[in-house]
Every structure is written in C-alpha cells, then in structure tokens.
Coordinates of all heavy atoms in Angstrom, one line a residue:
A1 N 0.9 -1.3 0.0 CA 0.0 0.0 0.0 C 0.9 1.3 0.0 O 1.9 1.2 0.6 CB -0.9 0.0 1.2
A2 N 0.5 2.2 -0.8 CA 1.3 3.5 -0.8 C 1.1 4.2 0.6 O 0.0 4.3 1.1 CB 0.8 4.3 -1.9
L3 N 2.2 4.7 1.0 CA 2.2 5.6 2.2 C 1.5 6.9 2.0 O 1.7 7.5 0.9 CB 3.6 5.8 2.7 CG 4.4 4.5 3.2 CD1 5.8 4.9 3.5 CD2 3.7 3.9 4.4
P4 N 0.8 7.4 3.0 CA 0.1 8.7 2.7 C 1.2 9.8 2.6 O 2.3 9.8 3.2 CB -0.7 8.9 4.0 CG -0.1 8.0 5.0 CD 0.5 6.9 4.3
P5 N 1.0 10.8 1.8 CA 1.9 12.0 1.6 C 2.2 12.7 2.9 O 1.2 12.7 3.7 CB 1.3 12.8 0.5 CG -0.2 12.5 0.6 CD -0.3 11.0 1.1
L6 N 3.3 13.2 3.1 CA 3.6 14.0 4.2 C 3.2 15.5 4.1 O 3.2 16.0 3.1 CB 5.2 14.0 4.4 CG 5.8 12.6 4.8 CD1 7.3 12.8 4.7 CD2 5.4 12.2 6.1
E7 N 2.8 16.0 5.3 CA 2.4 17.3 5.3 C 3.5 18.3 5.6 O 4.6 17.7 6.0 CB 1.3 17.6 6.4 CG 0.0 16.8 6.1 CD -1.1 16.9 7.2 OE1 -0.8 17.7 8.1 OE2 -2.1 16.2 7.2
A8 N 3.4 19.5 5.4 CA 4.6 20.5 5.7 C 5.1 20.3 7.2 O 4.2 20.3 8.1 CB 4.2 21.9 5.4
G9 N 6.3 20.1 7.3 CA 6.9 20.0 8.7 C 6.9 18.6 9.3 O 7.4 18.4 10.4
Q10 N 6.3 17.6 8.6 CA 6.2 16.3 9.1 C 7.4 15.5 8.7 O 7.9 15.7 7.7 CB 4.9 15.7 8.5 CG 4.3 14.5 9.3 CD 3.0 14.0 8.8 OE1 2.7 14.2 7.6 NE2 2.2 13.4 9.6
V11 N 7.8 14.6 9.6 CA 9.0 13.7 9.4 C 8.5 12.3 9.6 O 7.8 12.0 10.5 CB 10.1 14.1 10.3 CG1 11.3 13.1 10.1 CG2 10.5 15.5 10.1
R12 N 9.0 11.4 8.6 CA 8.7 10.0 8.7 C 10.0 9.2 8.7 O 10.9 9.5 7.9 CB 7.8 9.5 7.6 CG 7.6 8.1 7.6 CD 6.9 7.6 6.3 NE 5.6 8.3 6.1 CZ 5.2 8.7 4.9 NH1 5.8 8.4 3.8 NH2 4.0 9.3 4.9
Y13 N 10.2 8.3 9.7 CA 11.3 7.4 9.7 C 10.9 5.9 9.4 O 10.0 5.5 9.9 CB 12.0 7.4 11.1 CG 12.7 8.6 11.5 CD1 12.1 9.7 12.1 CD2 14.1 8.8 11.2 CE1 12.7 10.9 12.4 CE2 14.7 10.0 11.4 CZ 14.0 11.0 12.0 OH 14.6 12.2 12.4
R14 N 11.6 5.3 8.4 CA 11.4 4.0 8.1 C 12.7 3.1 8.1 O 13.8 3.7 7.9 CB 10.8 3.9 6.6 CG 9.4 4.5 6.5 CD 8.8 4.2 5.2 NE 9.7 4.7 4.1 CZ 9.7 4.2 2.9 NH1 8.9 3.2 2.5 NH2 10.5 4.7 1.9
T15 N 12.5 1.8 8.3 CA 13.8 1.0 8.3 C 14.3 0.8 6.9 O 13.4 0.9 5.9 CB 13.5 -0.4 9.0 OG1 12.4 -0.9 8.2 CG2 13.2 -0.3 10.4
F16 N 15.5 0.7 6.7 CA 16.2 0.6 5.4 C 17.1 -0.6 5.5 O 18.0 -0.7 6.3 CB 16.9 1.8 5.0 CG 17.7 1.8 3.7 CD1 16.9 1.8 2.6 CD2 19.0 1.7 3.8 CE1 17.7 1.8 1.3 CE2 19.7 1.7 2.5 CZ 19.0 1.7 1.4
A17 N 16.9 -1.6 4.6 CA 17.7 -2.8 4.6 C 18.6 -2.9 3.3 O 19.1 -4.0 3.0 CB 16.7 -4.0 4.7
G18 N 18.7 -1.8 2.7 CA 19.6 -1.8 1.4 C 21.1 -1.7 1.8 O 21.5 -1.7 2.8
Q19 N 21.8 -1.6 0.7 CA 23.3 -1.3 0.7 C 23.6 0.1 0.4 O 23.7 0.4 -0.7 CB 24.0 -2.3 -0.2 CG 23.7 -3.7 0.0 CD 24.7 -4.2 1.0 OE1 25.8 -3.8 1.1 NE2 24.3 -5.3 1.7
R20 N 23.7 0.9 1.5 CA 23.9 2.3 1.3 C 24.6 2.9 2.5 O 24.4 2.4 3.7 CB 22.7 3.0 1.0 CG 22.9 4.4 0.5 CD 21.8 5.1 -0.1 NE 22.0 6.5 -0.3 CZ 21.5 7.2 -1.2 NH1 20.6 6.7 -2.0 NH2 21.8 8.5 -1.3
D21 N 25.5 3.8 2.4 CA 26.1 4.5 3.4 C 25.3 5.6 4.0 O 24.4 6.2 3.3 CB 27.5 5.1 3.0 CG 28.5 4.1 2.7 OD1 28.4 3.0 3.2 OD2 29.4 4.4 1.9
C22 N 25.4 5.9 5.2 CA 24.7 7.0 5.9 C 25.1 8.3 5.3 O 26.4 8.7 5.1 CB 25.1 7.0 7.4 SG 24.5 8.3 8.3
D23 N 24.2 9.1 5.0 CA 24.4 10.4 4.4 C 25.2 11.4 5.3 O 26.1 12.1 4.9 CB 23.1 11.1 3.9 CG 22.5 10.4 2.8 OD1 23.2 9.6 2.1 OD2 21.3 10.5 2.6
D24 N 24.8 11.3 6.7 CA 25.5 12.2 7.6 C 27.0 11.8 7.8 O 27.9 12.7 8.0 CB 24.8 12.2 8.9 CG 23.5 13.1 8.9 OD1 23.2 13.7 7.8 OD2 22.8 13.1 9.9
C25 N 27.3 10.4 7.9 CA 28.6 10.1 8.0 C 29.4 10.4 6.8 O 30.6 10.8 6.9 CB 28.7 8.5 8.2 SG 28.0 7.8 9.7
W26 N 28.8 10.3 5.6 CA 29.5 10.6 4.4 C 29.8 12.1 4.4 O 30.9 12.5 4.1 CB 28.6 10.3 3.1 CG 29.4 10.5 1.9 CD1 30.2 9.6 1.2 CD2 29.4 11.7 1.1 NE1 30.6 10.1 0.1 CE2 30.2 11.5 0.0 CE3 28.9 13.0 1.2 CZ2 30.4 12.4 -1.1 CZ3 29.1 13.9 0.2 CH2 29.9 13.6 -0.9
S27 N 28.9 13.0 4.8 CA 29.2 14.5 4.9 C 30.3 14.8 5.9 O 31.2 15.6 5.6 CB 27.9 15.2 5.3 OG 26.9 15.0 4.3
A28 N 30.2 14.1 7.1 CA 31.3 14.4 8.1 C 32.7 13.9 7.6 O 33.7 14.6 7.8 CB 30.9 13.6 9.4
Q29 N 32.6 12.8 6.8 CA 33.9 12.3 6.3 C 34.5 13.2 5.3 O 35.7 13.5 5.3 CB 33.7 10.9 5.7 CG 34.9 10.1 5.6 CD 34.6 8.7 5.1 OE1 33.8 8.4 4.3 NE2 35.4 7.7 5.6
S30 N 33.7 13.7 4.4 CA 34.2 14.6 3.2 C 34.6 15.9 3.9 O 35.7 16.5 3.5 CB 33.1 14.7 2.2 OG 32.0 15.4 2.8
A31 N 34.0 16.4 4.9 CA 34.3 17.6 5.6 C 35.7 17.4 6.3 O 36.5 18.4 6.2 CB 33.3 18.1 6.5
A32 N 35.9 16.3 7.0 CA 37.1 16.0 7.7 C 38.3 15.9 6.6 O 39.4 16.4 6.9 CB 37.1 14.8 8.5
A33 N 38.0 15.4 5.5 CA 39.0 15.1 4.5 C 39.5 16.5 3.8 O 40.7 16.7 3.7 CB 38.6 14.3 3.4
T34 N 38.6 17.5 3.6 CA 38.9 18.7 3.1 C 39.7 19.6 4.1 O 40.4 20.4 3.8 CB 37.6 19.5 2.6 OG1 36.7 19.6 3.7 CG2 37.0 18.7 1.5
E35 N 39.4 19.4 5.4 CA 40.0 20.2 6.5 C 41.3 19.6 6.9 O 41.9 20.0 7.8 CB 39.1 20.4 7.7 CG 37.8 21.2 7.3 CD 36.8 21.3 8.5 OE1 37.1 20.7 9.5 OE2 35.7 21.8 8.2
R36 N 41.7 18.4 6.3 CA 42.9 17.6 6.7 C 43.0 17.3 8.1 O 44.0 17.5 8.8 CB 44.1 18.4 6.3 CG 44.1 18.8 4.8 CD 45.6 18.5 4.3 NE 45.6 19.0 2.9 CZ 45.5 18.1 1.9 NH1 45.1 16.9 2.0 NH2 45.6 18.6 0.6
R37 N 41.9 16.7 8.8 CA 41.9 16.2 10.1 C 41.4 14.8 10.0 O 41.1 14.3 9.0 CB 40.9 17.0 11.0 CG 39.5 17.2 10.5 CD 38.8 18.2 11.4 NE 37.5 18.5 10.8 CZ 36.4 17.8 11.2 NH1 36.4 16.8 12.0 NH2 35.3 18.1 10.6
P38 N 41.6 14.1 11.2 CA 41.3 12.6 11.1 C 39.8 12.4 10.6 O 38.9 13.0 10.9 CB 41.4 12.1 12.6 CG 42.3 13.2 13.2 CD 42.1 14.4 12.5
V39 N 39.8 11.3 9.7 CA 38.5 11.0 9.1 C 37.7 10.0 10.0 O 38.2 9.0 10.2 CB 38.7 10.5 7.6 CG1 37.5 10.2 7.0 CG2 39.5 11.5 6.8
P40 N 36.3 10.4 10.3 CA 35.6 9.4 11.0 C 35.1 8.3 10.2 O 35.3 8.3 9.0 CB 34.4 10.3 11.5 CG 34.4 11.4 10.4 CD 35.7 11.6 10.0
L41 N 34.7 7.2 10.8 CA 34.1 6.1 10.1 C 32.8 6.4 9.3 O 32.1 7.2 9.9 CB 34.0 4.9 11.1 CG 35.2 4.2 11.6 CD1 34.7 3.2 12.7 CD2 36.1 3.6 10.5
R42 N 32.6 5.7 8.2 CA 31.4 5.8 7.6 C 30.6 4.5 7.8 O 31.1 3.4 7.6 CB 31.6 6.0 6.1 CG 30.4 6.3 5.2 CD 30.6 6.5 3.9 NE 31.9 7.1 3.4 CZ 32.3 7.2 2.2 NH1 31.6 6.6 1.2 NH2 33.4 7.7 1.9
R43 N 29.4 4.7 8.3 CA 28.6 3.5 8.7 C 27.4 3.2 7.6 O 27.1 4.2 6.9 CB 27.9 3.7 10.0 CG 29.0 3.8 11.1 CD 28.3 3.8 12.5 NE 27.8 5.1 12.9 CZ 28.6 6.1 13.4 NH1 29.9 5.9 13.5 NH2 28.1 7.2 13.8
R44 N 26.9 2.1 7.6 CA 25.8 1.6 6.7 C 24.5 2.2 7.3 O 24.2 2.4 8.4 CB 25.7 0.1 6.7 CG 26.8 -0.5 5.9 CD 26.6 -0.4 4.5 NE 27.6 -1.2 3.8 CZ 27.8 -1.0 2.5 NH1 27.2 -0.2 1.8 NH2 28.7 -1.7 1.9
A45 N 23.6 2.7 6.3 CA 22.4 3.3 6.7 C 21.4 2.1 7.1 O 21.4 1.1 6.6 CB 21.8 3.9 5.4
T46 N 20.7 2.4 8.1 CA 19.7 1.4 8.7 C 18.3 2.0 8.7 O 17.4 1.3 8.9 CB 20.0 0.9 10.1 OG1 20.1 2.1 11.0 CG2 21.3 0.2 10.2
S47 N 18.1 3.3 8.4 CA 16.9 3.9 8.4 C 16.8 5.0 7.3 O 17.9 5.5 6.8 CB 16.5 4.5 9.7 OG 17.4 5.6 10.0
L48 N 15.6 5.3 6.9 CA 15.4 6.3 6.0 C 14.5 7.4 6.6 O 13.4 7.1 7.2 CB 14.5 5.7 4.8 CG 14.2 6.6 3.5 CD1 15.6 6.9 2.8 CD2 13.3 5.8 2.6

C-alpha cells in the first residue's frame, strides 16, 4: 500500500535494509578530509 503523503513540517522514519552509506557519515567524512583532520568512520544506513 502506498504511504500517505507527508504534510509540511512532518517527518517519517522507516527502516532501510539496502546497501547504502549513511548520508551524515559521508558528509562528516568529506568535511574532515577537506580540512585535513582525522576522518571518522562511515557506517551503513539502517533507516530512511
């Protein structure tokens, strides 16, 4: 069944079982690499 559309300001979290990296980890890792400081680990995404 299709999920109902979100209204403005509404947030929905769902589980994710695919093969993808966390967007926040990726952003933190690229920022650390450009600033030449230790790079944090990148973890797999478990939610959407």
Side-chain angles (χ1 to χ4, degrees):
L3 295 172
L6 294 170
E7 297 176 9
Q10 201 175 21
V11 178
R12 178 187 302 145
Y13 288 91
R14 294 189 302 154
T15 58
F16 177 74
Q19 296 280 326
R20 188 163 171 155
D21 290 336
C22 172
D23 292 338
D24 285 359
C25 288
W26 188 88
S27 297
Q29 195 175 43
S30 64
T34 57
E35 295 172 6
R36 302 224 186 265
R37 54 186 172 91
V39 178
L41 292 176
R42 192 182 319 173
R43 295 185 279 281
R44 290 280 185 198
T46 57
S47 65
L48 184 67

